[in-house]
Amino acid sequence: MTSITLINPADETMIGEVDLNSVDEVDAAVAKAVVAQRLWAALAPSERAGALRAFAAAVDLDIEHLARLEVENSGHPIASARWEAGHVRDVLTYYSAAPERLLGSQIPVAGGLDITFHEPIGVVGIIVPWNFPMTIAAWGFAPALAAGNAVILKPAEWTPLTALRLGELARRSGLPEGLFTVLPGRGDVVGTRFVTHPDIRKVVFTGSTAVGKKVMAGCAEQVKRVTLELGGKSANIVFADADLELAATSAPGAVFDNSGQDCCARSRILVERSVFTRFLEKFEVAVGRFRVGDPLHDATQMGPLVSAAHFDRVGSFLDGVDVAFTGAAPSGPGYWMPPTVVLPKSLDDRIVREEVFGPVVAVIPFDTEEDAIRIANATEYGLAGSIFTQNLSRGIRVSRAVQAGNLSVNSHSSVRYSTPFGGVKQSGLGRELGPDAPFAFTETKNVFYAT
Ligand code: NAD
C-alpha cells in the first residue's frame, strides 16, 4: 500500500497522509460487500429505513466536524462546507423513506397475475471527484443503500477526508460491517478495478468527460450498469428585458462559488447586446464585492483552488485572452486566483469551448433570442444553465430550447435533493437525486403467475 500527502490548499501546509488502496484491497472489500448486501436486502424495509435514519442522525451530530475537515482538505468556505454536510444528512433522510416506497406494479393480463418487483443490483462502486467530495458521494450512496445494495466508495486522491469520516459514521451508527466501505485510491488502480470487477454490478462515476468515456467503455465489457455525471460549460443568458440588477448581482455566485470548481458553473454569460455595457458595469461592482479569502471566515464566499496542479491548469486558460476585470484574492501561500472576467475574441476561443473548472467566466454578446439559444447550445456539454427575462413566454420558450439537464429561470438553482439532476449530450448519462433515484439502483423483474 502506498500513501498520499494531503495539503491544505489555503496555506500549503501538510495536513496528513492517507493510505491508497490496492487492487487486492478492493477485491477483499467487494467479497465482504457481497455477503453484507445479501443480509441487508433480506432485512425488512422498515429496518433498512431505520438504519438510514440513524446514519443521518450521526451525520447531523457531526456537521461542524465534517465541515472543518472539508475546509482543511478542499479549501471550501466554512459556510458552504456546513451546507454540504447538512445536505448529506438531508439526502440520507430523504432516501430513508425509499425502502418502503420502492413500489412495483400489478399489470392486467389474461390467464394470471403479472407483477413487477424492483430488486437491488448488488454491489455498487461509486467514484467521485474532488470538487464536492461529500455531497456527490451522498447522491450515490444514499439511494443505492436505500434500494438494498452495498456500496464501495472511492473518493478523489486529494480529498478523501470527509468520505473516510462518513464511512466511520456509517459504522458507528450501526450499518452492517462491509455494507458501506470507503476506499481511497488512485483512479487508474481502485477506479479501474471497480469497472473490471465482476461482482461490482453498477458504477456511478462523477468526474471529467474524458475519464467518464473510459469508464463507460470498460463497463460495456460486462454490460455493467453505469451512471455518468460529467463536465459542463453552462450558459447564463441575460435578456434585455431581465431584472438587470438581479442578473448582475447573482451572476458571480453562479460561476465563482467553490472557486468555479463546479460542474454547474455558469461559465459563459450571454448578454443581449443592447444591455451588454450596462450589465458589465453592474457585474464588475458585484464581482468586486465577492468575498475571497480565509475559508474559515463565516462571510467568505470563495476560497483557493484545490491544488497546485489545478492552479496551473486553470492559469493556462488565461494565456493570450482579454481580461476585462478581476476581483480580489490573497497573494499566498495557497492556490489563490481572483474571480476573472474575460471578453473572448471569438466563439471558437478555448475559453468559450472548454470547461475551465476555475474562477473564470467569458461574457459574450448576442442579438436575438435565436442567437442566444444557438450560442448556448454550441457546446458538447449540456448540464445546467440560467435564463434571466421578465417575459414569461420567453422564459418558457428558451428553457425548452436550451439543451441541458437542469435549467433555472431568474435564478441559478441547480441542485435540490428532491428534484432530478444530471446532464444531456457529453455531460452525462442517467439522473441522480429526486424521487426516482433509488430505481436506478434496482433491476425490474417481471413475474407472471398462471392461475
Ligand atoms: P477526474 O475525471 O479526473 O476524476 C474523477 C474521479 O475518477 C477521481 O476519483 C479519479 O481518481 C477517478 N479516476 C481517474 N481515472 C480513472 C479511471 N481510469 N477509471 C476510473 N476512475 C478514474 O475528474 P476531477 O478532476 O476529479 O473532477 C472534475 C470533473 O468532474 C469536471 O469535469 C467536472 O465537471 C466533473 N464533475 C461533474 C459533476 C456532475 O454532476 N456532472 C459534478 C462534479 C464534477
Side-chain angles (χ1 to χ4, degrees):
M1 183 183 282
T2 51
S3 66
I4 190 165
T5 303
L6 304 180
I7 305 288
N8 182 334
D11 59 14
E12 297 178 51
T13 55
M14 207 180 107
I15 54 176
E17 298 258 325
V18 165
D19 291 333
L20 297 175
N21 288 275
S22 64
V23 167
D24 287 348
E25 283 154 326
V26 177
D27 291 358
V30 174
K32 279 191 188 166
V34 167
V35 176
Q37 190 270 327
R38 285 197 199 113
L39 299 173
W40 175 244
L43 289 180
S46 59
E47 284 180 88
R48 277 189 272 135
L52 290 175
R53 281 197 297 272
F55 187 6
V59 172
D60 186 50
L61 290 175
D62 207 56
I63 283 183
E64 190 60 24
H65 182 82
L66 283 164
R68 284 177 183 270
L69 277 180
E70 205 65 278
V71 171
E72 199 179 30
N73 194 179
S74 313
H76 291 196
I78 185 77
S80 313
R82 285 189 187 116
W83 181 88
E84 289 157 31
H87 181 74
V88 173
R89 172 205 54 211
D90 294 345
V91 171
L92 275 165
T93 306
Y94 181 68
Y95 288 116
S96 70
E100 295 176 288
R101 291 190 191 159
L102 279 167
L103 305 181
S105 51
Q106 181 264 310
I107 299 169
V109 291
L113 178 66
D114 194 283
I115 298 183
T116 60
F117 299 89
H118 297 289
E119 299 186 340
I121 293 176
V123 180
V124 176
I126 300 178
I127 301 171
V128 296
W130 45 259
N131 63 327
F132 288 106
M134 276 189 274
T135 54
I136 292 174
W139 298 355
F141 69 67
L145 291 170
N149 301 279
V151 168
I152 304 189
L153 168 67
K154 190 198 95 59
E157 287 84 334
W158 301 107
T159 56
L161 294 186
T162 47
L164 285 166
R165 180 69 178 168
L166 288 171
E168 214 174 296
L169 294 173
R171 268 194 308 283
R172 278 207 222 153
S173 68
L175 275 199
E177 176 75 23
L179 188 72
F180 176 51
T181 307
V182 180
L183 291 183
R186 288 173 46 152
D188 58 356
V189 178
V190 173
T192 303
R193 187 59 183 146
F194 283 15
V195 172
T196 60
H197 198 301
D199 287 336
I200 292 187
R201 295 304 311 146
K202 171 161 184 163
V203 172
V204 178
F205 173 84
T206 306
S208 60
T209 297
V211 177
K213 287 178 186 176
K214 280 195 213 167
V215 167
M216 188 172 176
C219 286
E221 289 295 315
Q222 298 169 15
V223 197
K224 189 173 287 198
R225 278 61 180 138
V226 63
T227 295
L228 301 174
E229 294 284 7
L230 309 176
K233 191 72 190 174
S234 299
N236 173 8
I237 309 174
V238 182
F239 286 97
D241 61 20
D243 175 340
L244 218 55
E245 194 63 31
L246 175 68
T249 53
S250 63
V255 61
F256 301 135
D257 269 359
N258 205 27
S259 311
Q261 303 166 133
D262 181 342
C263 52
C264 295
R266 274 56 167 177
S267 53
R268 295 179 297 154
I269 307 182
L270 316 186
V271 186
E272 194 161 347
R273 203 178 296 276
S274 59
V275 293
F276 191 77
T277 307
R278 263 205 302 143
F279 174 85
L280 268 188
E281 284 164 6
K282 287 178 184 289
F283 186 44
E284 184 167 6
V285 173
V287 170
R289 288 189 185 138
F290 206 68
R291 291 182 294 271
V292 184
D294 181 1
L296 278 169
H297 198 290
D298 277 338
T300 295
Q301 292 171 287
M302 183 177 130
L305 292 172
V306 73
S307 66
H310 191 58
F311 178 87
D312 292 343
R313 183 184 170 277
V314 173
S316 77
F317 279 91
L318 296 175
D319 292 343
V321 302
D322 284 339
V323 172
F325 51 86
T326 71
S331 52
Y335 312 124
W336 296 97
M337 187 168 281
T340 301
V341 179
V342 166
L343 300 179
K345 296 183 188 79
S346 146
L347 293 179
D348 293 330
D349 288 359
R350 187 175 169 227
I351 201 82
V352 178
R353 288 181 295 104
E354 293 183 23
E355 183 183 44
V356 179
F357 224 54
V360 182
V361 66
V363 190
I364 300 160
F366 69 84
D367 291 302
T368 62
E369 189 177 304
E370 294 67 35
D371 217 13
I373 293 166
R374 181 183 52 77
I375 299 170
N377 288 341
T379 165
E380 68 199 22
Y381 296 115
L383 190 56
S386 309
I387 299 146
F388 281 77
T389 175
Q390 298 200 69
N391 177 333
L392 179 61
S393 306
R394 168 172 276 160
I396 294 170
R397 267 195 316 271
V398 178
S399 65
R400 300 305 303 271
V402 172
Q403 298 159 340
N406 294 81
L407 290 165
S408 49
V409 178
N410 295 325
S411 99
H412 298 292
S413 157
S414 295
V415 169
R416 286 193 194 84
Y417 56 79
S418 56
T419 59
F421 175 81
V424 304
K425 301 201 289 192
Q426 295 196 29
S427 284
L429 190 71
R431 292 291 177 270
E432 297 191 289
L433 298 176
D436 295 337
F439 292 101
F441 293 97
T442 65
E443 297 287 3
T444 302
K445 179 184 280 176
N446 191 76
V447 184
F448 172 70
Y449 300 88
T451 52

